[in-house]
Amino acid sequence: MQLIQQTWDLFKKEILLEWRSKYAFNGVLLYIVSTVFVCYISFSLSAGFVNSNSANYRITWNVLFWIIILFASVNAITKSFVQESRGRLLYYYSIASPQAIILSKTIYNILLMSLLTVLALIVYLLFFPNTLGDPLFYFLSVLLGSISFSTVFTMISAIASKAGNNGTLMAILSFPVIIPVILLLIKISKNAMDGLERSLNYGNMGVLLAINVIVIATSLLLFPFLWRD
């Protein structure tokens, strides 16, 4: 019960700080809009990306969307522990458990990335129109992707923060986990875009959920040891 209360209090603190500054939200939203716009200008000059009914367009459309979301997630979530001063972290150490801290960060990042990913999908559809065979299931895959990126990068960001926020270390640690995640998301969203039977995606979704559970469990086990340092 104490863990739940501490997690809730720290989560409210994250929301309050973001509401005051809107640093992460505005920064990542600007990144998404500018990236989509640059892609729109670039692909408008290419004859191979103008026919929205072609198979190549739909495949490229889906892959490009997830690449944009992937890098937006990195930009948003790496700030989770970077923005915390040493004095504030010491204060957290005295009032809350490490499990509450990592859980509150993870929940906050899931909420932030879910909102940003939905806005990114809207902006992306405005610049690159596309027909979604199963819009509801594609929207579900987008939310599932934002959750997966949030859990993975929150754990990696916590580890990297204890190693001097080494960006190279974060890239190396996240690579083995994020590659299967992005491949599963592309497959699930492509099936939803083509309007295929939803039951075809249940196995991939189960694997994706299992990865998220393992990552969260690993975070809860490892972060207390990192926190003591």
Side-chain angles (χ1 to χ4, degrees):
M1 192 65 184
Q2 185 179 10
L3 175 63
I4 296 176
Q5 184 61 46
Q6 290 178 353
T7 303
W8 174 245
D9 291 337
L10 290 170
F11 173 72
K12 289 191 296 183
K13 183 269 302 180
E14 296 285 346
I15 296 294
L16 181 61
L17 291 178
E18 180 60 32
W19 179 256
R20 288 177 177 176
S21 63
K22 299 181 179 63
Y23 172 70
F25 180 82
N26 290 336
V28 178
L29 184 61
L30 177 62
Y31 168 83
I32 291 173
V33 174
S34 59
T35 303
V36 172
F37 182 72
V38 169
C39 292
Y40 172 75
I41 297 298
S42 301
F43 285 119
S44 294
L45 303 177
S46 173
F49 203 72
V50 294
N51 185 6
S52 60
N53 295 320
S54 67
N56 289 335
Y57 176 90
R58 294 168 65 82
I59 294 173
T60 307
W61 186 95
N62 190 46
V63 173
L64 180 62
F65 173 74
W66 284 114
I67 291 175
I68 293 173
I69 297 303
L70 174 62
F71 285 98
S73 301
V74 173
N75 289 333
I77 298 175
T78 51
K79 298 180 177 66
S80 296
F81 290 91
V82 175
Q83 65 183 2
E84 302 287 6
S85 65
R86 188 173 182 85
R88 184 183 294 176
L89 291 175
L90 183 61
Y91 175 66
Y92 292 160
Y93 185 85
S94 63
I95 64 171
S97 66
Q99 289 87 353
I101 293 172
I102 193 66
L103 277 178
S104 63
K105 293 282 187 182
T106 302
I107 296 172
Y108 165 73
N109 287 330
I110 289 174
L111 179 64
L112 176 64
M113 283 312 306
S114 297
L115 179 59
L116 287 171
T117 305
V118 171
L119 293 176
L121 180 60
I122 295 173
V123 173
Y124 193 64
L125 283 169
L126 290 176
F127 282 94
F128 297 105
N130 194 15
T131 302
L132 302 177
D134 192 342
L136 181 60
F137 203 77
Y138 193 92
F139 180 76
L140 178 62
S141 69
V142 167
L143 291 180
L144 189 59
S146 62
I147 294 173
S148 301
F149 290 151
S150 300
T151 55
V152 171
F153 287 124
T154 300
M155 180 188 70
I156 302 302
S157 176
I159 296 174
S161 67
K162 294 301 181 179
N165 294 313
N166 192 320
T168 304
L169 176 63
M170 183 170 180
I172 294 173
L173 291 176
S174 61
F175 185 81
V177 183
I178 208 62
I179 291 301
V181 168
I182 193 70
L183 291 177
L184 288 169
L185 288 171
I186 290 175
K187 185 179 295 186
I188 294 171
S189 57
K190 182 61 169 61
N191 291 341
M193 188 169 61
D194 292 339
L196 300 182
E197 183 66 31
R198 294 183 178 181
S199 59
L200 297 175
N201 296 313
Y202 291 161
N204 291 328
M205 294 179 70
V207 174
L208 201 57
L209 290 173
I211 292 175
N212 289 330
V213 171
I214 292 172
V215 169
I216 293 175
T218 305
S219 301
L220 294 176
L221 290 174
L222 293 181
F223 189 71
F225 296 99
L226 295 172
W227 189 245
R228 294 193 187 106
D229 296 335

